[in-house]
Amino acid sequence: MPPAPQGPGPAPRVRPGWFNPVVAVVAVFALLAVVGLGVWAFRPVDLPPVAIQTPSPTGPSTPSAPPTSGPSATTPAPGSTDHPRELDRFYGQRVSWSPCGDSSNHQCAKVKVPVDYAKPAGDTFTLALRKAPATDPSKRIGSMLINPGGPGGSGVQYAQYAPFVFSKNLRAAYDIIGFDPRGIGQSDAVGCLTNRQMDLLFEDDPTPDTPAERQKLLADNDAITKSCATSGGERARHMSSTEVAKDMDIIRALVGDKKLNYYGVSYGTFLGALYADLFPKRVGRFVLDSAMSPNQTDLQQTQYDIQGFESSMDAFIAWCVKRDDCALGRDPKAAAGKIVDLLDRVDRQPLRTTKGGQTSIGEGWVGFAMFMCLYSNTSWPTLNRGLAQALDKGIGDILFTYASQVLERDATGNYADSTYLQAMIPVRCADWPRTPETPALEAEHRKLQAAHPLWARMTGELFDNCRTWPTPGRQPTGKTIGQGAPPILVIGNLRDPATPIGGTKQLAKDLASGVLVTSDNDGHGTYLSGNSCIDSVVDGYMVSGTVPKNGKAC
């Protein structure tokens, strides 16, 4: 299938070093713009579901802090000189906040960071920030930096909708600050793909049946990756998560905080883990929601992907077969086979559509739409209707419309500048190690495909799509992460298709001070997703500093 956002997603949601456009895109990015379509007309890829009724658990009162919820300018925090001298001009810059154009209650600003930290005197990125000031200055603790996932999600948009994604108690205690990571959104966006190239990621046959089909799939992806590197230039080669984590420390100092308080979801947990490893003594209160570990190996990621996908699909099927209108019938044992048959049929005969300037859609588009519908049980009815239309009529309008919304692709086939697809290749090629294609690995892949036929259709061909990227990927060290950091809260749903619970558990274990709390829930994104126990744990930790018991189950 074409790319899908990860929960890396998979962080990218594909095995490290391997790529499937559909799956890779799934693991990627939060699209808050959907709120404009109606509260979760479709679920943003890497964001917790919007909850209109936000729980507000009452915990012990928090120590008062100086009411600095909205100064027009901020200066570096005490201790902000703890950085290399060559970075003085970045850590020492003055931040001028002004009302955001769409809200006088929120403040926006721009800050500078070096494109290349090894050459800080060179070119710079301008990062966009948005602050939702603490609603009760008398209870203010400090700032909380947020990231909605991706790579490619806009933290500026995430902060814009703070009342929908963070509880009343948490918003009272923190200035919520979102930022668009370097090269993304309003932060000097690097657009390295054309509309046609992004479409092609989904149009090539993800499950090639012949050597010629496989050669075309790989050749197209190699050409797209090489083109992205060329058109994106030096900036595209400096969009790694390690560099974003360093940017986060500059933001911490500039907003006046000695330590960073942080909430990251999906890919945002990857950023949080890297920050904790780089700056363990500057970690404040961290919540890593729906997680993935920087230490995950290729085999571990594959195992997590299978578990996460199958548990989520099983939950959807269990819900569907109880309905009179279930597109898959009433027999749960036969339901998965019907989806396999549909994908095989679409491989031979694409679905008809009149949407988005297309006349038909193949396996890539169909698989991506289906996978994205598993992100939240609120999307299950859409998936059921889409399957019914495809199975009964051979039409893909519902599935294609849903996929287009996730990707921010309009009715004429134009992608929004903010689509996370633009960030997918530069970030994953910097963050994921190269995995050579060997006979042993190929044999293992085929074995897994045979044992998990539906997962195999949804995942498609796995391959290294960064072969033509000019710089090497990050190599996981396997070492303990964040030695010396205070307790870091790691949370996740038991049935998450994008960042499976196995990855969440691994990150909690890999962190020197990780504290795991699980939620018996479906979908991607744990906080404010309908489990009041988890919400109370997060608020109690962030607002009162109450650290839950490691391994707590909600």
Side-chain angles (χ1 to χ4, degrees):
M1 295 181 317
Q6 165 210 2
R13 214 199 104 25
V14 288
R15 291 160 42 183
W18 292 86
F19 174 78
N20 172 274
V22 169
V23 175
V25 173
V26 172
V28 205
F29 324 36
L31 305 172
L32 270 170
V34 303
V35 173
L37 303 174
V39 177
W40 302 121
F42 76 87
R43 172 73 180 285
V45 219
D46 272 355
L47 297 185
V50 169
I52 299 302
Q53 299 297 329
T54 55
S56 300
T58 302
S61 59
T62 60
S64 296
T68 55
S69 61
S72 59
T74 52
T75 53
S80 63
T81 55
D82 188 14
H83 59 262
R85 290 189 61 183
E86 58 267 25
L87 296 178
D88 278 351
R89 70 178 178 123
F90 300 105
Y91 276 88
Q93 65 190 295
R94 189 172 179 83
V95 184
S96 297
W97 296 95
S98 60
C100 298
D102 56 10
S103 172
S104 60
N105 295 324
H106 286 192
Q107 297 174 328
C108 289
K110 301 274 190 178
V111 300
K112 299 282 188 181
V113 296
V115 168
D116 185 349
Y117 274 89
K119 302 175 181 178
D123 195 10
T124 60
F125 275 111
T126 299
L127 305 186
L129 309 181
R130 184 182 182 114
K131 174 167 62 177
T135 58
D136 188 341
S138 68
K139 296 180 179 179
R140 183 181 181 277
I141 295 172
S143 302
M144 182 177 75
L145 196 64
I146 59 174
N147 181 277
S154 169
V156 169
Q157 287 185 321
Y158 201 26
Q160 181 179 357
Y161 296 102
F164 298 103
V165 290
F166 297 106
S167 75
K168 180 180 178 180
N169 282 358
L170 201 153
R171 288 183 287 113
Y174 289 96
D175 294 340
I176 293 175
I177 297 180
F179 72 106
D180 283 358
R182 53 173 53 213
I184 292 167
Q186 298 178 41
S187 295
D188 290 344
V190 173
C192 66
L193 299 178
T194 65
N195 289 327
R196 179 59 196 144
Q197 287 173 327
M198 288 185 277
D199 272 353
L200 191 58
L201 291 171
F202 297 88
E203 290 177 1
D204 274 337
D205 186 349
T207 56
D209 304 305
T210 66
E213 286 184 350
R214 189 174 193 275
Q215 183 179 4
K216 183 180 186 305
L217 176 65
L218 270 60
D220 284 345
N221 275 271
D222 285 348
I224 289 171
T225 298
K226 185 175 181 179
S227 173
C228 178
T230 301
S231 61
E234 184 72 8
R235 292 189 171 211
R237 295 192 288 276
H238 285 282
M239 290 175 62
S240 73
S241 297
T242 297
E243 288 164 308
V244 175
K246 292 178 181 180
D247 296 344
M248 289 163 56
D249 195 59
I250 290 177
I251 295 171
R252 170 202 59 78
L254 296 182
V255 299
D257 287 346
K258 187 172 183 179
K259 294 193 174 186
L260 178 69
N261 302 305
Y262 178 73
Y263 172 87
V265 61
S266 194
Y267 162 76
T269 67
F270 190 82
L271 288 175
L274 291 177
Y275 181 92
D277 206 40
L278 288 169
F279 309 105
K281 298 300 184 182
R282 300 177 199 173
V283 171
R285 296 176 186 174
F286 266 44
V287 175
L288 305 181
D289 182 343
S290 306
M292 52 179 296
S293 173
N295 284 343
Q296 284 176 197
T297 65
D298 181 62
L299 179 58
Q300 286 172 328
Q301 183 63 56
T302 300
Q303 293 168 336
Y304 298 156
D305 285 348
I306 293 172
Q307 179 275 324
F309 169 74
E310 292 188 342
S311 64
S312 297
M313 182 58 77
D314 287 347
F316 164 72
I317 288 173
W319 167 85
C320 186
V321 297
K322 295 176 183 177
R323 300 171 56 91
D324 292 335
D325 66 345
C326 180
L328 304 175
R330 304 301 292 271
D331 182 359
K333 294 182 179 179
K338 290 186 177 182
I339 300 177
V340 171
D341 291 343
L342 171 64
L343 290 171
D344 287 345
R345 188 193 319 162
V346 172
D347 187 24
R348 300 186 300 270
Q349 181 63 50
L351 298 177
R352 303 186 307 279
T353 186
T354 58
K355 305 296 182 179
Q358 302 281 71
T359 58
S360 65
I361 57 170
E363 253 188 302
W365 283 112
V366 173
F368 176 73
M370 290 170 56
F371 190 90
M372 293 311 304
C373 284
L374 295 177
Y375 266 52
S376 170
N377 56 18
T378 59
S379 302
W380 290 354
T382 300
L383 177 55
N384 185 43
R385 292 193 300 272
L387 288 172
Q389 187 183 53
L391 287 164
D392 298 341
K393 301 177 181 179
I395 294 175
D397 287 352
I398 293 173
L399 294 175
F400 186 48
T401 297
Y402 190 87
S404 297
Q405 289 176 337
V406 171
L407 297 170
E408 297 184 278
R409 182 186 189 277
D410 68 19
T412 63
N414 291 314
Y415 290 80
D417 292 340
S418 57
T419 178
Y420 67 80
L421 286 177
Q422 292 287 7
M424 181 180 62
I425 291 175
V427 177
R428 77 165 280 102
C429 288
D431 287 352
W432 268 258
R434 307 292 185 267
T435 302
E437 190 171 339
T438 64
L441 193 58
E442 179 71 10
E444 178 65 21
H445 180 209
R446 298 307 175 199
K447 181 180 177 181
L448 289 169
Q449 285 182 316
H452 304 276
L454 181 52
W455 169 81
R457 302 308 193 285
M458 295 291 289
T459 302
E461 191 78 6
L462 295 178
F463 57 92
D464 180 4
N465 79 314
C466 294
R467 296 184 303 180
T468 55
W469 193 255
T471 57
R474 182 190 63 87
Q475 294 298 322
T477 63
K479 69 180 181 65
T480 300
I481 299 168
Q483 292 276 13
I488 294 174
L489 183 59
V490 183
I491 62 176
N493 289 333
L494 294 181
R495 296 170 297 281
D496 182 338
T499 48
I501 191 64
T504 296
K505 290 179 177 179
Q506 181 179 342
L507 179 57
K509 183 178 180 180
D510 288 346
L511 287 164
S513 55
V515 178
L516 175 69
V517 180
T518 59
S519 171
D520 186 7
N521 211 349
D522 299 292
H524 187 47
T526 312
Y527 179 60
L528 289 192
S529 292
N531 187 323
S532 60
C533 169
I534 278 283
D535 300 341
S536 296
V537 166
V538 171
D539 284 3
Y541 167 77
M542 289 300 299
V543 176
S544 305
T546 303
V547 179
K549 181 180 178 181
N550 186 30
K552 179 179 175 63
C554 282

